[in-house]
Amino acid sequence: MNALQALRTRPMRALVRDVRLSGLLNTGMTQRYATTAQSKPALPPGSELAGKSNLTAKIHEKLKIMQYKHNKIMEQMTGDISGMEREDMARLAKEQSSMGMIVVPYEHLLKLYSELIELEQMMSADDPDLRRLAREERQEVLENVVTAENDIINALLPKDSAESAGAILEIRAGTGGDEASIFCGDLLHMYEKYAQLRKWKLETMSMDSEGDKIKEIVLKVSGRGVFGVLMFESGVHRVQRVPATETQGRVHTSTATVAVLPHAANVNIVIKESDLRIDVFRASGKGGQHVNTTDSAVRITHIPTGISVENQQERSQIQNRERAMQVLRARMYERERSRLDLERRASRNKLIGSGDRSEKCRTYNYAQNRVTDHRINFSMFNIEGMMNGTALQIVIDQLRIQHDLDELASMDNFDDISPPTQ
């Protein structure tokens, strides 16, 4: 095995040493690598990453401070602790653990930055095989940098407890007549298929439909992290296509609205009976033993907020009331959550997320085989994959990335970044 073959089998951390032993580079070049490795700059100047990192210089500065504090705590805990109170030890251990969730991946990122600089300098070597090897290694390191930065971003961002909950999914036909109702059914099919892929459980809470035309449907989606995944789906979804009933081949534009609410099953939402107005009426539908014969349908209005929910899905008035209360509780929880979120955004002097940009959030253009999410100006050409649920994750991932970057950018205006709570 020659020296270059040996290089191909060596891990990146041993590459500089192998280069020195192989004699493929002159001594001056090798010494420059050693000097670069010792300096460990925060960002690799002149590299593909320069100016493209998701971590700004100010975020790096704050992370350096957190790294310093973390190291000081480690020194305290590994030093003489005989005179330290038990409460102080517990406090230091908690701080060290919380900071470590950020500092450990940050130190790993700094090592990747140094490796990247070493590789980019190796690309100027005389030997073509070494240059090719350095290019291949650099691409792998760049991918690892992106992963490490995302790990740091996730550790820095404040956690929303609602994101781990289930969700209430509401789909309603908008403008466009029958075509809007058909599109509402298409969206339902998309979310049903996507839920199957995620192994989530869907339960219909109420529905107003006629054949394949759905005017409105409310679903309970159960599973781990449902709301955190679907939260960006809220908004006006627009379809542009030739309806099946169109005889002259004209493209029609129709809409449907989607609302995703966190399921408030484990949240203490206090609703006073005196604040509720409960109306009962006869259910409408295609007929049957209990339709239009008994007052089984229920409408519940929360008087202070004006929130109104009705349900006629079940045969029993008691069951309909119970389901209506679940939806009412979810809407009130989302109302309070949105209020607190708006206050937090105002304090940061910014707007985040999809709620304030939800008008015409997404367009489904069948003639162009295109799906465009207008909030992030992202398009993909796979209508079939989107509507059968297999490509929906691609759009959700792009929305999540933009949301996290918006959150991270807001931290750039703060004087302090707090470690995550456990």
Side-chain angles (χ1 to χ4, degrees):
M1 179 183 292
N2 60 33
L4 282 173
Q5 289 174 330
L7 279 176
R8 297 186 183 99
T9 64
R10 297 292 290 167
M12 181 56 224
R13 59 180 176 273
L15 190 53
V16 174
R17 185 182 63 187
D18 284 346
V19 168
R20 184 185 293 116
L21 292 176
S22 67
L24 293 173
L25 294 177
N26 60 49
T27 306
M29 179 73 77
T30 307
Q31 296 206 356
R32 283 201 294 275
Y33 296 156
T35 303
T36 302
Q38 290 172 5
S39 62
K40 290 188 177 180
L43 287 170
S47 75
E48 290 184 9
L49 196 65
K52 299 180 182 179
S53 173
N54 291 328
L55 301 179
T56 65
K58 196 166 185 179
I59 294 293
H60 272 286
E61 180 183 342
K62 296 168 184 177
L63 289 170
K64 284 285 189 183
I65 295 173
M66 190 176 292
Q67 182 187 33
Y68 174 78
K69 292 179 179 179
H70 178 265
N71 292 339
K72 283 296 183 183
I73 292 175
M74 290 293 292
E75 290 177 9
Q76 284 183 270
M77 296 184 66
T78 55
D80 184 8
I81 59 173
S82 58
M84 190 177 296
E85 297 290 338
R86 181 178 298 178
E87 293 79 5
D88 293 334
M89 274 293 297
R91 176 182 55 80
L92 287 175
K94 186 175 181 180
E95 289 181 11
Q96 183 268 333
S97 178
S98 296
M99 288 186 180
M101 295 171 64
I102 298 175
V103 172
V104 171
Y106 180 60
E107 291 177 340
H108 173 61
L109 179 65
L110 294 180
K111 293 178 181 178
L112 291 174
Y113 284 160
S114 295
E115 290 182 4
L116 190 59
I117 292 178
E118 293 168 4
L119 284 168
E120 288 176 343
Q121 295 200 30
M122 286 181 183
M123 289 172 60
S124 63
D126 295 332
D127 190 283
D129 287 328
L130 182 60
R131 291 198 302 269
R132 178 182 55 78
L133 179 61
R135 281 195 298 270
E136 294 173 357
E137 290 282 355
R138 183 185 63 169
Q139 185 58 39
E140 181 179 345
V141 173
L142 281 171
E143 293 173 359
N144 291 336
V145 165
V146 173
T147 300
E149 286 191 348
N150 287 338
D151 290 342
I152 294 172
I153 291 172
N154 291 333
L156 284 172
L157 292 176
K159 301 299 184 290
D160 187 345
S161 59
E163 291 192 20
S164 62
I168 301 295
L169 174 63
E170 303 178 351
I171 311 173
R172 293 180 176 84
T175 58
D178 288 346
E179 171 64 8
S181 298
I182 294 173
F183 179 52
C184 189
D186 293 339
L187 290 178
L188 171 62
H189 176 76
M190 178 181 75
Y191 291 124
E192 285 177 334
K193 291 297 184 181
Y194 181 70
Q196 290 177 10
L197 294 173
R198 299 295 297 250
K199 301 189 185 307
W200 292 341
K201 179 182 177 183
L202 289 180
E203 179 184 351
T204 301
M205 303 188 70
S206 67
M207 182 168 63
D208 182 5
S209 65
E210 184 177 341
D212 60 349
K213 302 173 185 177
I214 298 178
K215 296 181 179 179
E216 175 183 319
I217 185 168
V218 180
L219 303 165
K220 182 167 73 172
V221 190
S222 303
R224 170 179 270 182
V226 172
F227 179 71
V229 175
L230 293 180
M231 58 189 287
F232 305 110
E233 291 301 294
S234 293
V236 179
H237 294 238
R238 182 177 70 172
V239 62
Q240 295 174 325
R241 63 185 177 187
V242 179
T245 55
E246 171 59 48
T247 58
Q248 299 183 22
R250 292 175 297 187
V251 174
H252 289 223
T253 298
S254 305
T255 63
T257 60
V258 176
V260 182
L261 313 171
H263 186 228
N266 299 321
V267 179
N268 185 23
I269 302 295
V270 178
I271 302 178
K272 298 179 181 178
E273 284 287 336
S274 58
D275 290 338
L276 299 179
R277 183 176 70 247
I278 301 177
D279 302 311
V280 295
F281 53 96
R282 292 187 178 182
S284 60
K286 295 182 179 180
Q289 182 178 356
H290 295 274
V291 177
N292 294 319
T293 59
T294 62
D295 292 335
S296 59
V298 175
R299 181 187 300 110
I300 301 178
T301 303
H302 186 251
I303 298 172
T305 61
I307 298 175
S308 181
V309 178
E310 65 179 56
N311 194 291
Q312 58 179 0
Q313 186 72 13
E314 303 297 332
R315 295 183 176 184
S316 162
Q317 182 185 122
I318 295 176
Q319 290 176 316
N320 283 327
R321 174 170 175 166
E322 182 179 330
R323 285 180 176 270
M325 282 300 297
Q326 288 183 25
V327 177
L328 177 64
R329 187 173 290 108
R331 290 186 183 177
M332 291 187 64
Y333 175 44
E334 175 62 10
R335 178 189 177 96
E336 178 64 13
R337 179 179 168 276
S338 296
R339 184 187 67 81
L340 294 174
D341 188 44
L342 283 172
E343 289 181 358
R344 178 172 62 87
R345 294 179 192 181
S347 68
R348 294 182 180 183
N349 193 27
K350 68 184 293 290
L351 289 175
I352 305 171
S354 61
D356 299 295
R357 298 180 289 181
S358 61
E359 190 67 25
K360 198 185 70 174
C361 71
R362 190 177 299 156
T363 293
Y364 305 75
N365 189 304
Y366 277 68
Q368 299 177 10
N369 191 33
R370 172 177 56 84
V371 178
T372 298
D373 197 289
H374 302 283
R375 294 163 294 184
I376 54 176
N377 195 28
F378 173 79
S379 295
M380 69 175 182
F381 297 86
N382 187 3
I383 279 282
E384 182 179 356
M386 188 70 175
M387 302 315 292
N388 65 27
T390 57
L392 177 57
Q393 188 64 50
I394 298 173
V395 181
I396 290 176
D397 287 343
Q398 294 298 318
L399 287 163
R400 166 57 67 178
I401 290 171
Q402 187 59 52
H403 173 270
D404 289 351
L405 291 178
D406 287 347
E407 284 276 350
L408 189 66
S410 74
M411 294 179 179
D412 213 20
N413 298 322
F414 282 158
D415 294 328
D416 184 41
I417 293 178
S418 299
T421 57
Q422 292 182 309

